[in-house]
Amino acid sequence: MLDKLNIVKQRFDEVSDLIIQPDIIADQKRYVQLNKEYKELKELVDKREVYKEILDNIEEAEEIIEDGSDAEMVEMAKMQLEEAKEKLPSIEEEIKYMLIPKDPEDSKNVMMEIRAGTGGDEASIFAGDLYRMYTKYCEGRGWKVNTVDYNEGTSGGYKEIIFEVNGENVYGTMKFESGVHRVQRVPQTETQGRVHTSAATVMVLPEAEEFDVELDMSDVKIIRTTSTGPGGQSVNTTYSAIQLQHLPTGIEVRCQDEKSQHKNLEKAIKVLRSRLYERELAKKQEEDSARRKSMVSSGDRSAKIRTYNYPQGRVTDHRIGLTLYDLSNIVNGDIDKIVEELKMTENTEKLKEASETM
């Protein structure tokens, strides 16, 4: 393991030297990539120092015990040895996971889309509940959430809502939320007290940076319209809403959240880039899944991934068979336990795969 960490240290030293070179700083794409690599490698290099210190302590203690000339020193060395050996397995386990090659998308910001599915008004209300859950979760992590576009439901919630989330390792955390979410509860409109099942689809797209997707604006038709929905007189009189049509693929994007036409255009282009990027990513994920069918794959957005059952107060993630009787906290944004279990499952799969190919 130390040999692997020494190779990491060697690469870290190379990257540290590269990111201060003027020609690298001038090449924005290369500079951003190397900065990301620097951050990831630094975590491992820091962990290497801790690991190395534990190994040195073990070696030093064993030498003192073997020498045996000073009884007091031997006693202290035995305590040092025991303490170091206790720490060793957990740090080795941490390093094993850290050495798993990271998905390069994981560090990206995301575009999230929530769409009401089957269930009419209740599905729109549920889509609104999911949006609130994610907003609270993201804000609790110090991430920034910005609405891009929305279409409100007739009885509350949203028929669809698109929003961006900016922060550290957002896609790596949120990618498992893609898929069909199902709710079982008595709707407010139900007079007989019967439990209904409704659904909403969540999509999590890694936000494409400018150099990820070459977007030729001559392929994009820009339509400027007035905004719709609540917001005062200026909403229906100012041509601030933007609709983009990407002619080669037929992808359409709309943004009306900002009062400024320029800001709406900027946001709409971001969404369009992410949609185009996702098409390429979907192809890659299909290739990967042919090689390894992951239990927690974020590729299949039509798969039913989670059920929120209100009468029983439970949430079940069907991919990993996890059931938690903590629905009220979960819908208020406390989804950490689910996210961590999904991450752990993916890491375990990757670790198994890595050991098979070694």
Side-chain angles (χ1 to χ4, degrees):
M1 187 175 281
L2 198 54
D3 290 342
K4 285 182 183 176
L5 289 172
N6 288 338
I7 293 166
V8 170
K9 174 73 166 68
Q10 194 178 332
R11 176 59 183 164
F12 176 73
D13 292 339
E14 283 172 20
V15 173
S16 301
D17 186 50
L18 282 169
I19 56 173
I20 57 170
Q21 302 299 324
D23 57 326
I24 295 291
I25 294 167
D27 181 348
Q28 194 62 18
K29 181 176 180 178
R30 182 93 172 106
Y31 182 68
V32 169
Q33 286 170 340
L34 284 170
N35 256 300
K36 281 182 182 175
E37 189 181 353
Y38 175 86
K39 279 184 187 174
E40 286 169 9
L41 291 172
K42 189 171 187 324
E43 285 180 25
L44 262 168
V45 168
D46 290 347
K47 195 63 74 175
R48 171 186 172 272
E49 290 306 308
V50 177
Y51 181 57
K52 207 165 164 298
E53 190 183 336
I54 291 171
L55 292 180
D56 290 345
N57 287 346
I58 289 172
E59 191 181 339
E60 182 190 31
E62 284 175 341
E63 281 174 8
I64 293 167
I65 293 164
E66 194 180 337
D67 176 78
S69 58
D70 185 328
E72 195 176 327
M73 287 291 285
V74 168
E75 200 56 42
M76 285 171 68
K78 282 179 179 175
M79 287 169 66
Q80 180 178 305
L81 184 63
E82 190 182 337
E83 190 182 322
K85 282 189 171 178
E86 269 180 29
K87 289 177 181 175
L88 196 62
S90 64
I91 197 161
E92 284 182 337
E93 198 64 23
E94 279 180 59
I95 291 167
K96 272 185 201 171
Y97 281 115
M98 288 175 82
L99 284 168
I100 296 167
K102 283 190 172 67
D103 184 337
E105 316 305 323
D106 282 358
S107 61
K108 291 183 181 290
N109 295 323
V110 302
M111 285 287 171
M112 288 188 71
E113 303 184 11
I114 304 174
R115 299 180 191 280
T118 53
D121 287 345
E122 173 62 11
S124 296
I125 292 166
F126 178 49
D129 293 341
L130 288 175
Y131 171 66
R132 182 172 165 272
M133 177 180 84
Y134 290 131
T135 302
K136 287 198 162 196
Y137 176 69
C138 293
E139 287 172 351
R141 293 182 74 94
W143 296 342
K144 196 174 176 186
V145 179
N146 287 312
T147 307
V148 173
D149 192 27
Y150 59 89
N151 182 0
E152 291 180 321
T154 51
S155 299
Y158 302 98
K159 288 178 183 173
E160 63 177 343
I161 182 161
I162 302 170
F163 55 101
E164 59 179 345
V165 184
N166 299 306
E168 188 121 346
N169 292 321
V170 182
Y171 184 69
T173 305
M174 299 302 289
K175 62 184 176 183
F176 307 116
E177 296 305 304
S178 280
V180 177
H181 294 242
R182 196 174 65 159
V183 65
Q184 293 171 328
R185 63 184 174 192
V186 179
Q188 294 168 10
T189 51
E190 169 61 55
T191 54
Q192 303 296 316
R194 290 173 298 188
V195 173
H196 285 230
T197 299
S198 308
T201 304
V202 175
M203 280 172 60
V204 183
L205 317 179
E207 188 176 280
E209 286 148 19
E210 279 191 40
F211 46 75
D212 288 330
V213 176
E214 286 196 23
L215 180 61
D216 186 348
M217 288 308 288
S218 65
D219 289 337
V220 180
K221 185 180 178 183
I222 302 173
I223 303 160
R224 293 171 172 85
T225 63
T226 56
S227 299
T228 57
Q233 290 181 336
S234 65
V235 167
N236 297 312
T237 57
T238 309
Y239 280 77
S240 59
I242 292 289
Q243 189 173 339
L244 301 182
Q245 290 178 353
H246 188 247
L247 303 175
T249 61
I251 292 173
E252 292 192 6
V253 168
R254 180 180 166 85
C255 182
Q256 64 166 19
D257 189 56
E258 302 285 348
K259 289 189 174 73
S260 152
Q261 188 186 97
H262 176 72
K263 283 184 179 174
N264 280 331
L265 178 60
E266 208 175 85
K267 279 189 176 183
I269 288 171
K270 265 190 183 181
V271 178
L272 181 56
R273 273 189 200 283
S274 295
R275 294 255 182 95
L276 291 169
Y277 186 58
E278 194 235 357
R279 282 167 73 97
E280 294 307 308
L281 191 62
K283 288 178 196 170
K284 180 182 173 293
Q285 284 175 337
E286 275 179 41
E287 288 164 15
D288 287 350
S289 69
R291 181 173 53 83
R292 171 176 64 93
K293 187 65 181 171
S294 171
M295 282 162 65
V296 294
S297 166
S298 54
D300 186 1
R301 70 178 71 138
S302 63
K304 180 186 74 179
I305 64 163
R306 196 174 298 150
T307 297
Y308 305 75
N309 184 295
Y310 276 73
Q312 294 175 22
R314 68 171 166 84
V315 175
T316 299
D317 195 289
H318 304 288
R319 294 163 294 181
I320 53 174
L322 174 70
T323 295
L324 298 171
Y325 289 88
D326 192 22
L327 185 138
S328 60
N329 284 323
I330 289 167
V331 295
N332 275 306
D334 187 7
I335 60 171
D336 262 320
K337 172 79 172 161
I338 300 171
V339 169
E340 290 308 313
E341 288 285 343
L342 289 162
K343 275 188 184 177
M344 197 183 294
T345 302
E346 186 193 49
N347 282 340
T348 304
E349 287 177 6
K350 282 184 177 177
L351 199 59
K352 188 181 172 188
E353 186 191 328
S355 63
E356 284 171 0
T357 54
M358 279 171 70

